Amino acid sequence: MNFQAYVSLWASCLVGGLLFFTLHSSSKPVDYVPQCPMAKPHRPSTYLANTPVIDTILHDPEFRNQSLVKLQNAIRIKTETHDDDPITVEDDPEYWAKFDIFESYLKSTFPLFYQNTELHKVNHHGLVYIWRGTNTTLKPLLLMGHQDTSPVPESTLPLWTYPPFDAHYNGTHLFGRGSSDCKNLVIGYFEAAEELMKTGFIPRRTVIFSFGFDEEVSGVRNKNAEWLEEKFGSKSMYAICDEGGVSLTTLDGTTMAVPGTGEKGFLNLWIDLKTPGGHSSVPPDHTSLGIMADLMVQIENDPFPSYFTPQNPTYHQYVCLAENSATIDQELKKNILSSLTSSLANKRVREYMESSRWLKYYIKTSQALDVIHGGSKSNALPEFVQLTINSRVAIEETIYSALRKYLGNVKDVAQKYGLGLSYQLKNESAVEILPPTPQGDFLVHTDEFFDVAPLTPINDNHWKLFAGNIKHVYEELVWPEIYQGPDAHNPIIVSPGIAPGNTDTKYYWNLSDHIYRYRPGEYTSVETSAHGVNEWIKFDSHLQIIVFYFEYIQSVDEIDD
């Protein structure tokens, strides 16, 4: 089915007996039914009593300095992980011992936290802390993060303004690897919990903290979720919170917070090409490197299609923008709100998003040609070349549809040069598409993939509380001078969304239907150079993490399942 037919079918099934309407560029249609899952600010009942604590976290210089030192010292402990790390801890215990150093630092820095929680070490370095609640019938709240950071390539060291592990603070911004992704979140959890403990807070609902140690390399050693499911059971958690999503962003003059309620699929694909070797003095017209180069160009010239459908939380993000922004371009607004009933409007929205590198991959599968290996010396024909491709798979697609697209690209090139072609998935036998030939053959294979995540519900009380907590923190605590009073700014819109990347939540799907990928803060991880040179945060954002979870833990504690 082509995309236009898909959109038409979607509209007829979804809208049913709803009257279709004519949109005007300056306003919503008369018969338009709002779709944005709006939430009002939600605050715990203890909010007023805890005002002095909140003011201390956000505004007290002494607290700020103490919090700064805690995060700085965490950043100074190198916990980098690499793609070629030992696959098991037992393979090289000494290599993984850096996480013992990090855990020892947590223990010495947060004694009150350790006093009130139980620590369980899973697969040596996975950390699971259980803060027991008094009501065992309530499902626990699970808060996640990861201890490891992406590596700092030695070749990039001269490009850093400040050394990446010095944790330099210039009075407003903190620089260093892990400052944004995501030691700020991990340390923020500890600080929020300790501030609650200092008030005498004893939870009714158990709170669990789970920290993996290889998230930056796909988390294959993360056994925390398996341990939790064995101990507590399937769907045993009230909600799960992790990094990800868009903390705060401005779109068409409107401030939005976009927790990740969905996550794209993940595919690492390897394409191997074997050809006869020989002396470079008598090369064929196309060596294996030349053939692979041709394939690379064909792949990049054949991008995946884009989609703008309600299957994708990004659709709801832009509907929320169109319904609530006072400054959005009126033509864009019209196209968004008619995108289900007009294929032309849908196309225009997709074209608008595809015009931005940062927006386009919310609505389509990415394809990044990341690594190529081949050849051994200048006078020997390359006998083996390998290309590595990473794709984050769109919500509307599957790992298998992405694989079919790549196989089509490879098949075209294989037939062009008279080569064989097979593919192989993890733990399965190879499947032959074209028989091997004397000229050589391709093998397309993968053992690193997972499908699109289940979507978190967005119209229930879980969502209203989480989204309401965001509005409470930013509109009432962080920036009351902007969002309160007679001259109040347009309110912050909290909408569902996705992040183009992936988190460790992929291992936790069985534990809860309510997974929120959201790290509070004033800037997204992309804006703060996470994984890049000069990674940084505005330190106010770290304090906002502390306040957010200080309030959210209490809010969740006050409700029943």
Side-chain angles (χ1 to χ4, degrees):
M1 181 183 295
N2 65 32
F3 186 74
Q4 292 186 3
Y6 173 82
V7 173
S8 298
L9 178 60
W10 229 107
S12 62
C13 294
L14 178 72
V15 181
L18 185 66
L19 292 176
F20 293 129
F21 43 76
T22 301
L23 286 164
H24 302 286
S25 61
S26 61
S27 64
K28 299 172 190 171
V30 174
D31 296 328
Y32 181 75
V33 178
Q35 301 177 64
C36 183
M38 295 293 286
K40 298 178 180 179
H42 182 101
R43 59 192 73 83
S45 63
T46 52
Y47 159 57
L48 291 177
N50 284 330
T51 296
V53 180
I54 294 168
D55 285 343
T56 295
I57 295 171
L58 290 176
H59 305 299
D60 182 72
E62 183 178 356
F63 182 93
R64 183 187 188 89
N65 289 336
Q66 291 174 351
S67 178
L68 171 66
V69 170
K70 291 171 184 175
L71 182 52
Q72 283 179 310
N73 288 335
I75 292 169
R76 288 166 182 156
I77 300 171
K78 293 185 179 182
T79 55
E80 300 163 287
T81 49
H82 306 78
D83 286 342
D84 58 354
D85 283 345
I87 196 62
T88 69
V89 176
E90 292 82 3
D91 287 339
D92 192 347
E94 186 176 346
Y95 174 84
W96 297 104
K98 55 193 170 188
F99 292 101
D100 286 326
I101 298 172
F102 188 71
E103 192 273 319
S104 294
Y105 170 71
L106 295 174
K107 184 175 183 179
S108 64
T109 306
F110 300 103
L112 187 59
F113 184 94
Y114 270 74
Q115 180 182 326
N116 287 280
T117 62
E118 309 160 13
L119 170 60
H120 301 269
K121 292 189 176 183
V122 182
N123 193 22
H124 303 278
H125 300 297
L127 305 179
V128 177
Y129 300 88
I130 301 178
W131 188 8
R132 295 284 180 185
T134 59
N135 187 340
T136 57
T137 66
L138 296 176
K139 291 183 176 182
L141 170 66
L142 177 57
L143 305 178
M144 291 175 55
H146 59 88
Q147 307 165 65
D148 63 313
T149 72
S150 61
V152 178
E154 206 167 312
S155 61
T156 69
L157 288 175
L159 303 176
W160 286 74
T161 304
Y162 310 102
F165 297 101
D166 278 12
H168 177 82
Y169 179 61
N170 67 3
T172 56
H173 295 71
L174 176 63
F175 296 84
R177 177 60 85 229
S179 60
S180 171
D181 184 11
C182 68
K183 286 183 177 176
N184 57 338
L185 180 61
V186 172
I187 300 302
Y189 286 144
F190 279 84
E191 293 186 84
E194 283 210 334
E195 291 307 307
L196 280 170
M197 293 168 185
K198 290 175 186 176
T199 69
F201 174 78
I202 299 174
R204 291 194 314 142
R205 184 188 301 276
T206 293
V207 183
I208 299 173
F209 303 84
S210 177
F211 305 123
F213 61 98
D214 67 339
E215 192 273 349
E216 297 294 1
V217 287
S218 298
V220 294
R221 303 162 193 82
N222 188 332
K223 307 302 179 185
N224 292 14
E226 294 177 22
W227 186 89
L228 286 166
E229 187 171 356
E230 183 178 334
K231 188 172 184 65
F232 291 92
S234 176
K235 304 300 181 184
S236 56
M237 301 293 139
Y238 165 82
I240 299 173
C241 302
D242 194 12
E243 63 170 340
V246 175
S247 46
L248 289 173
T249 188
T250 300
L251 293 174
D252 288 285
T254 299
T255 300
M256 301 188 74
V258 191
T261 57
E263 195 168 66
K264 298 173 79 174
F266 178 95
L267 174 65
N268 268 346
L269 194 70
W270 289 270
I271 301 176
D272 299 348
L273 174 58
K274 295 180 181 178
T275 56
H279 200 283
S280 294
S281 61
V282 284
D285 290 339
H286 303 281
T287 69
S288 54
L289 278 168
I291 295 170
M292 188 66 82
D294 190 357
L295 173 61
M296 294 166 69
V297 171
Q298 292 211 33
I299 289 173
E300 291 194 334
N301 286 339
D302 180 31
F304 284 86
S306 58
Y307 306 88
F308 190 67
T309 78
Q311 287 180 258
N312 187 338
T314 300
Y315 167 87
H316 299 283
Q317 177 185 349
Y318 276 83
V319 166
C320 286
L321 179 69
E323 289 180 358
N324 297 283
S325 172
T327 55
I328 187 174
D329 176 83
Q330 293 301 302
E331 187 66 24
L332 175 61
K333 174 178 179 175
K334 181 178 70 173
N335 288 328
I336 291 171
L337 297 181
S338 60
S339 61
L340 284 187
T341 59
S342 166
S343 58
L344 179 59
N346 192 288
K347 178 183 178 184
R348 286 173 175 168
V349 175
R350 288 183 284 119
E351 288 173 345
Y352 163 80
M353 297 190 69
E354 288 199 78
S355 67
S356 165
R357 175 185 167 191
W358 307 113
L359 297 180
K360 67 194 296 184
Y361 293 116
Y362 290 106
I363 61 170
K364 68 188 303 179
T365 297
S366 63
Q367 50 182 23
L369 281 57
D370 288 326
V371 183
I372 187 165
H373 294 293
S376 58
K377 59 198 304 286
S378 63
N379 64 349
L381 297 173
E383 297 175 301
F384 178 81
V385 181
Q386 184 180 73
L387 171 66
T388 303
I389 304 175
N390 176 262
S391 279
R392 308 304 169 103
V393 180
I395 301 294
E396 293 82 358
E397 295 185 342
T398 68
I399 296 303
Y400 297 100
S401 64
L403 179 61
R404 282 196 297 272
K405 183 267 186 191
Y406 287 123
L407 285 173
N409 295 140
V410 181
K411 185 178 180 181
D412 287 346
V413 173
Q415 290 176 323
K416 179 179 178 180
Y417 294 100
L419 302 168
L421 169 60
S422 300
Y423 74 91
Q424 184 173 26
L425 301 182
K426 183 178 182 180
N427 300 326
E428 295 184 12
S429 300
V431 177
E432 184 180 286
I433 297 176
L434 299 172
T437 74
Q439 286 73 42
D441 60 277
F442 281 105
L443 174 64
V444 178
H445 59 105
T446 177
D447 59 4
E448 292 183 11
F449 58 91
F450 54 86
D451 230 323
V452 173
L455 295 179
T456 296
I458 57 173
N459 283 298
D460 60 4
N461 289 329
H462 288 70
W463 168 260
K464 291 176 183 176
L465 192 149
F466 188 84
N469 197 71
I470 294 173
K471 289 179 71 68
H472 162 57
V473 167
Y474 282 102
E475 294 181 356
E476 300 179 339
L477 304 182
V478 176
W479 296 308
E481 69 281 4
I482 297 177
Y483 294 103
Q484 304 295 307
D487 299 322
H489 189 276
N490 293 332
I492 292 173
I493 299 172
V494 183
S495 80
I498 60 170
N502 300 103
T503 72
D504 271 342
T505 55
K506 58 183 173 286
Y507 299 113
Y508 292 71
W509 295 347
N510 287 344
L511 285 166
S512 179
D513 293 329
H514 297 87
I515 300 178
Y516 303 110
R517 303 157 185 88
Y518 182 76
R519 183 210 60 187
E522 296 183 36
Y523 298 91
T524 66
S525 59
V526 170
E527 292 174 305
T528 55
S529 297
H531 291 208
V533 171
N534 292 326
E535 182 178 342
W536 60 275
I537 59 167
K538 187 177 180 182
F539 192 73
D540 286 351
S541 294
H542 180 67
L543 303 177
Q544 292 158 19
I545 290 174
I546 301 170
V547 166
F548 181 89
Y549 283 103
F550 181 87
E551 294 289 85
Y552 183 63
I553 290 171
Q554 294 180 87
S555 293
V556 169
D557 199 68
E558 292 179 351
I559 64 171
D560 293 326
D561 292 341

